Amino acid sequence: MKVYKTQDIRNVAVLGHGGCGKTTLVEAMANVTGVTSRMGKVVDGNTISDYDKEEIKRKFSISTSIVPIEWRFWKINLLDTPGYLDFVGEVEEALSVADGAIIVISGKAGVEAGTERAWEFCEKYDIPRVFFITDIDDDNADYAKIVEDLRALYGKKIAPFHLPVKEDGKFTGYVNVVKMLGRKCTDDGNKFEDIAIEDMHLSDALQAELEPCREALLEAVAETSEEFMDRYFEGGEFTIDEIIDALRQNVNDGNVVPVQCGSGLYNISIENLVKTCVEFLPSPIRDTVKIFGKDPRTDKEYNVDYDSRRPFSAYVFKTIVDPFIGRYSLIKVCSGELKADSVIYNYERETEEKMNRLYVLRGKEAIEVPELKAGDIGAIAKLTNTETGDTLSLKSDPLVFDKFELSAPYTYKRYAAKNKADVDKISQALQKMMEEDCTLKTFNDK
């Protein structure tokens, strides 16, 4: 995998209710960008993200997995998160390094509790987001109802980019509401050809839906500036370039949230979503977000902001302790560059270690890379004295970042050893579990 500059990187968390299709969507995005030649399926236990034996057995995600994909000139680090509340710490770890998010909604189930929780997380961490309604090919999928529900919850910032078109119950294409252009599905569900809306032969019901859909989008654009608001109320028109520029800026600022549709399972409209990640979601360099680190020697704060010209610093956002793939500290480079033969320093643990190799993880696969630029996500193996939440830097220029907040445990269980010989084994097992899941706490009640 080649080395990418900061501005060409997108770190995107994939969020949503449990079972809504997040892992399937990530699998489809990996397939359409050439990472795999054949899509894995959750039911078959052969997806990139869900590689743990418990995930394969239970058929849902337990841990956050990273799946980097490459599309044209860009790299997108997809963070596939669990949907169930039991594993909320995994979601919070992913969001601590994400710069954008895809909130997945099942077209069959509609807006669920996990959808609303994903929105709340994005608000908390100030993360721009896109809604993707999957399973749009299903007979029971109701796109218009979902958009209506989203607008009822979140107001006029919801901007539908697509209006799906079905013929004889089969998904055949969509109207691009931004460009007011029809897109007809070819034999390959992921390929589309542009045609005039009139040639889409929209039914009366769809024609009736198009106008409110367009109005919702224009209202979202109008809300972005006083000039646009005045023009909108005066009945003026926006050019396509004005609409796209206004949307791009305001999606980055979180003032507009696009809604798109497709199908992860059948790989429909997935490349459009990849393109949206690149065009509308921000790189790590964002005007509205400042990254501060503190020099522990002087207590002076520095604004690092993913600047590759500054000395190296990185944040450890997750630890993997796996009997098959080994121990990895997952990092996001916050400033400077990290090379495979670097000597890194952990001020909090007072340890300095020389690296031998540097990796990016794709599921359980470790891909060796020569270096990582600021803003990129990677992994370092066998850092024995480093834990989740630690800062890595240079001994000559130490830096410490604040640790992110994790949810507190909400349930308790008692475990008792059957004999004294098991006490140490249980203790070691619990210690490994806590290294991976920082929401777990243990204490010995004598």
Side-chain angles (χ1 to χ4, degrees):
M1 182 175 287
K2 67 182 239 185
V3 177
Y4 286 83
K5 295 179 181 177
T6 307
Q7 62 267 30
D8 299 330
I9 297 167
R10 303 290 184 271
N11 298 310
V12 182
V14 184
L15 311 171
H17 195 81
C20 69
K22 298 183 294 299
T23 298
T24 299
L25 180 63
V26 169
E27 194 73 19
M29 293 174 79
N31 179 252
V32 80
T33 53
V35 172
T36 61
S37 57
R38 183 180 177 186
M39 271 184 62
K41 294 182 179 179
V42 173
V43 292
D44 296 337
N46 58 357
T47 62
I48 300 171
S49 300
D50 291 353
Y51 59 85
D52 184 86
K53 64 179 182 180
E54 285 296 323
E55 293 177 316
I56 294 169
K57 173 185 172 183
R58 298 173 188 276
K59 303 192 186 327
F60 61 72
S61 300
I62 294 173
S63 301
T64 290
S65 291
I66 303 173
V67 180
I69 60 175
E70 297 169 288
W71 185 73
R72 297 184 184 175
F73 312 108
W74 296 274
K75 176 187 181 185
I76 306 172
N77 291 313
L78 297 170
L79 297 125
D80 182 17
T81 66
Y84 293 105
L85 184 61
D86 309 60
F87 314 112
V88 67
E90 295 286 332
V91 179
E92 290 171 321
E93 286 175 349
L95 288 171
S96 71
V97 296
D99 304 298
I102 300 167
I103 302 179
V104 184
I105 301 176
S106 166
K108 298 177 287 186
V111 177
E112 300 175 272
T115 312
E116 296 182 46
R117 192 165 64 247
W119 178 279
E120 290 163 5
F121 276 133
C122 289
E123 289 287 288
K124 176 182 176 181
Y125 289 93
D126 190 22
I127 293 178
R129 69 223 70 153
V130 174
F131 281 111
F132 186 80
I133 302 173
T134 190
D135 303 326
I136 203 65
D137 52 306
D138 192 273
D139 292 341
N140 298 315
D142 193 340
Y143 180 84
K145 173 71 165 55
I146 294 171
V147 170
E148 184 183 323
D149 290 344
L150 290 174
R151 286 180 68 81
L153 284 167
Y154 309 120
K156 294 179 180 179
K157 63 170 61 177
I158 299 299
F161 277 23
H162 293 169
L163 177 64
V165 177
K166 291 186 178 182
E167 294 177 16
D168 300 324
K170 183 181 178 183
F171 178 82
T172 57
Y174 64 91
V175 175
N176 183 323
V177 184
V178 176
K179 297 181 178 180
M180 287 302 281
L181 187 69
R183 304 213 73 201
K184 189 81 172 177
C185 201
T186 61
D187 292 338
D188 179 349
N190 198 47
K191 302 296 181 184
F192 294 85
E193 58 183 8
D194 293 342
I195 62 173
I197 292 177
E198 299 77 41
D199 297 331
M200 293 287 286
H201 306 297
L202 301 183
S203 66
D204 292 341
L206 270 177
Q207 196 71 50
E209 282 181 23
L210 178 58
E211 192 57 36
C213 209
R214 176 70 172 177
E215 280 301 309
L217 181 74
L218 294 179
E219 279 184 28
V221 172
E223 293 279 337
T224 61
S225 75
E226 288 187 17
E227 179 195 344
F228 283 2
M229 181 67 78
D230 291 341
R231 198 193 305 178
Y232 176 74
F233 281 122
E234 290 168 4
E237 294 289 327
F238 302 120
T239 66
I240 290 175
D241 287 342
E242 282 178 332
I243 291 172
I244 291 174
D245 288 344
L247 288 173
R248 182 181 293 115
Q249 179 60 48
N250 286 279
V251 169
N252 271 241
D253 293 341
N255 299 323
V256 169
V257 181
V259 184
Q260 294 187 219
C261 65
S263 171
L265 187 61
Y266 294 104
N267 216 337
I268 295 172
S269 198
I270 301 303
E271 190 169 2
N272 291 325
L273 179 61
V274 174
K275 185 178 179 182
T276 297
C277 288
V278 166
E279 290 190 346
F280 288 95
L281 293 179
S283 75
I285 305 170
R286 293 170 57 196
D287 293 336
T288 56
V289 177
K290 301 297 179 185
I291 308 297
F292 289 97
K294 183 182 289 185
D295 185 334
R297 301 168 300 183
T298 62
D299 276 348
K300 184 178 179 181
E301 279 196 331
Y302 290 95
N303 187 348
V304 297
D305 286 352
Y306 303 110
D307 188 344
S308 291
R309 297 167 297 181
R310 288 190 57 83
F312 161 75
S313 66
Y315 188 73
V316 181
F317 70 94
K318 180 175 170 60
T319 303
I320 296 175
V321 184
D322 188 277
F324 299 105
I325 70 172
R327 179 192 171 96
Y328 289 95
S329 299
L330 273 58
I331 62 166
K332 184 179 186 183
V333 181
C334 299
S335 63
E337 301 171 353
L338 179 61
K339 297 184 184 295
D341 58 352
S342 299
V343 178
I344 55 177
Y345 181 62
N346 186 330
Y347 179 85
E348 291 173 282
R349 314 286 170 191
E350 296 183 344
T351 57
E352 190 175 34
E353 297 184 64
K354 187 178 191 306
M355 294 165 43
N356 292 319
R357 291 183 175 87
L358 182 62
Y359 303 94
V360 294
L361 296 186
R362 182 180 283 145
K364 65 179 179 181
E365 180 189 7
I367 303 166
E368 198 169 337
V369 291
E371 65 177 298
L372 293 173
K373 302 285 188 183
D376 210 346
I377 289 173
I380 306 171
K382 300 176 183 176
L383 293 180
T384 52
N385 293 314
T386 297
E387 296 179 5
T388 300
D390 287 355
T391 301
L392 303 176
S393 57
L394 302 176
K395 195 168 186 177
S396 57
D397 290 280
L399 204 64
V400 176
F401 297 106
D402 290 337
K403 297 179 188 291
F404 58 88
E405 293 180 20
L406 283 171
S407 296
Y410 64 89
T411 186
Y412 293 82
K413 293 206 176 214
R414 183 187 69 176
Y415 294 92
K418 288 185 176 181
N419 54 66
K420 284 191 175 182
D422 290 335
V423 172
D424 287 343
K425 292 178 183 177
I426 292 171
S427 178
Q428 290 171 11
L430 288 172
Q431 189 60 40
K432 285 184 179 179
M433 289 169 65
M434 287 191 296
E435 285 184 55
E436 288 198 286
D437 187 346
C438 295
T439 63
L440 290 177
K441 307 292 178 191
T442 65
F443 67 96
N444 185 15
D445 188 344
K446 294 182 180 179

